[in-house]
């Protein structure tokens, strides 16, 4: 295959983010393409070319606006794409958190009204209390992608901090703080001096 096919495959792998190959294939199948997970894998490896008509639907599935997103670009442009995705995801997370809190406050109002009226709670009162006291930050912590920043990876990054300053900042920031082995300075406790 041509280098351009390999570049498109690498870009596709980056741009699909946490969407699985199977989920991407299913979304393309819904648009009439005979795609399966091995199809996505072959494209990402550069073993199968991407047809222009497929690319148009693929952009829609990935929420991208132009075909150039799939074509090899300078790192700063790919970085801009990823930054835009992160900013968009942050806004969506804020909106989801606001919707969560609004629903939670609505649930509190209903529960208080039911209590005043002496109505029985559907299900158990404990279930309602659990829902009312649920902390959305804890929900985010449950789904945060901690796997890429395992403690042993943080240790390795500590050795590479001059070469991988941005990955080290992430590892010692939000993901390092999530590590039970992190020291007070954010460095892994095993290597803190």
């Amino acid at each position: 295959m041509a280098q351009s096919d390999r570049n498109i495959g690498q870009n596709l792998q980056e741009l699909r983010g946490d969407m699985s190959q199977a989920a991407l294939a299913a979304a393309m199948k819904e648009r009439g393409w005979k795609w399966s997970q091995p199809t996505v894998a072959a494209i990402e490896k550069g073993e199968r070319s991407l047809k222009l008509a497929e690319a148009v639907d693929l952009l829609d599935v990935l929420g991208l606006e132009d075909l150039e997103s799939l074509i090899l670009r300078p790192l700063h442009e790919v970085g801009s794409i990823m930054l835009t995705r992160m900013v968009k995801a942050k806004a969506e997370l804020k909106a989801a958190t606001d919707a969560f809190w609004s629903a939670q406050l609505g649930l509190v109002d209903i529960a208080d009204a039911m209590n005043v009226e002496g109505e029985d709670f559907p299900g158990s009162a404990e279930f309602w209390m659990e829902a009312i006291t649920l902390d959305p930050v804890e929900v985010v912590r449950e789904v945060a992608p901690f796997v890429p920043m395992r403690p042993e990876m943080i240790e390795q990054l500590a050795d590479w901090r001059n070469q991988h300053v941005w990955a080290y900042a992430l590892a010692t920031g939000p993901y390092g703080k999530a590590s039970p082995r992190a020291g007070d300075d954010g460095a892994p406790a095993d290597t803190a001096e």
Side-chain angles (χ1 to χ4, degrees), residues 3 47 83 109 177:
Q3 181 63 36
E47 296 170 354
L83 182 59
D109 289 342
K177 289 176 188 167

Side-chain angles (χ1 to χ4, degrees), residues 48-134:
R48 179 192 182 278
S49 295
L50 182 65
K51 298 173 187 170
L52 181 58
E54 290 175 323
V56 171
D57 284 341
L58 184 59
L59 292 174
D60 184 47
V61 168
L62 296 174
L64 301 172
E65 294 184 14
D66 61 349
L67 191 58
E68 289 183 8
S69 302
L70 291 173
I71 299 170
L72 182 65
R73 303 174 90 163
L75 286 176
H76 70 276
E77 289 184 28
V78 175
S80 292
I81 291 169
M82 293 298 112
L83 182 59
T84 300
R85 286 179 64 188
M86 190 173 123
V87 168
K88 180 181 176 189
K90 178 183 174 185
E92 291 169 353
L93 181 60
K94 281 182 162 183
T97 302
D98 185 51
F100 179 93
W101 280 330
S102 293
Q104 198 172 38
L105 291 173
L107 186 61
V108 166
D109 289 342
I110 296 298
D112 282 342
M114 288 173 63
N115 193 44
V116 167
E117 297 293 324
E119 290 187 30
D120 291 332
F121 290 92
S124 69
E126 291 81 21
F127 177 78
W128 281 65
M129 184 58 76
E130 185 179 318
I132 287 170
T133 59
L134 185 62

Side-chain angles (χ1 to χ4, degrees), residues 153-172 185-193:
M153 194 169 185
I154 295 171
E155 291 170 11
Q156 187 177 24
L157 286 170
D159 296 335
W160 297 346
R161 77 175 72 167
N162 291 333
Q163 293 176 324
H164 303 280
V165 65
W166 297 102
Y168 183 75
L170 178 65
T172 57
D185 62 351
D190 295 349
T191 60
E193 295 180 21

